[in-house]
Amino acid sequence: QVQLVESGGGLVQAGGSLRLSCAASGRTFSSYTMGWFRQAPGKEREFVAGISRSEGNTFYADSVKGRFTISRDNAKNTLYLQMNSLKPEDTAVYYCATSIRYGTLVSASSYMYDYWGQGTQVTVSS
């Protein structure tokens, strides 16, 4: 059974930082593309960042480029999202996701990703 468990969310003031983690189990995730998405209240889920299996290819949404960094530790089967200079508009539930079909391509399309975590809440106060 594939499991993705996010952690690290919380309440932070604007300008602050948080580091999200996603622990993966059930498959060899080091072979696959992984990503982060978010969903704010009343809005559709949107892509945040993605990373290929070897960290050689990363892709970011324009709204977070230069502030967020996606990384992975394949030995620990863990995906990370370092979030700096947080803004109130970053407030959302953040989800990690993994593909089991792609390893080198990174896309903002949710179609690429096959399994999803339950999400972790990030709230940025102004």
Side-chain angles (χ1 to χ4, degrees), residues 10-14 18 20 37-44 46 48 63-64 67-68 83 85-95 120-126:
L11 174 64
V12 64
Q13 288 189 329
L18 282 174
L20 304 184
F37 287 73
R38 67 186 181 187
Q39 187 167 20
K43 295 187 177 182
E44 293 187 354
E46 64 174 359
V48 174
S63 58
V64 306
R67 300 188 299 123
F68 290 10
M83 305 186 295
S85 302
L86 282 161
K87 304 175 181 180
E89 51 263 44
D90 294 318
T91 295
V93 177
Y94 283 71
Y95 300 90
T120 185
Q121 176 70 48
V122 171
T123 303
V124 184
S125 63
S126 57

Side-chain angles (χ1 to χ4, degrees), residues 46 53 55 58 84 105 112:
E46 64 174 359
R53 62 188 176 194
E55 292 193 298
T58 58
N84 298 329
L105 293 176
M112 169 170 280

Side-chain angles (χ1 to χ4, degrees), residues 1-99:
Q1 183 72 16
V2 173
Q3 276 198 318
L4 300 173
V5 180
E6 303 94 336
S7 62
L11 174 64
V12 64
Q13 288 189 329
S17 297
L18 282 174
R19 189 194 197 201
L20 304 184
S21 299
C22 173
S25 61
R27 290 188 76 100
T28 306
F29 290 99
S30 59
S31 299
Y32 301 110
T33 296
M34 299 187 75
W36 289 97
F37 287 73
R38 67 186 181 187
Q39 187 167 20
K43 295 187 177 182
E44 293 187 354
R45 185 173 57 192
E46 64 174 359
F47 172 80
V48 174
I51 187 167
S52 61
R53 62 188 176 194
S54 64
E55 292 193 298
N57 190 13
T58 58
F59 182 52
Y60 295 92
D62 288 343
S63 58
V64 306
K65 201 173 295 182
R67 300 188 299 123
F68 290 10
T69 302
I70 188 171
S71 62
R72 64 193 297 166
D73 185 336
N74 287 336
K76 296 181 178 179
N77 269 354
T78 303
L79 178 71
Y80 302 102
L81 185 68
Q82 178 66 44
M83 305 186 295
N84 298 329
S85 302
L86 282 161
K87 304 175 181 180
E89 51 263 44
D90 294 318
T91 295
V93 177
Y94 283 71
Y95 300 90
C96 74
T98 185
S99 175

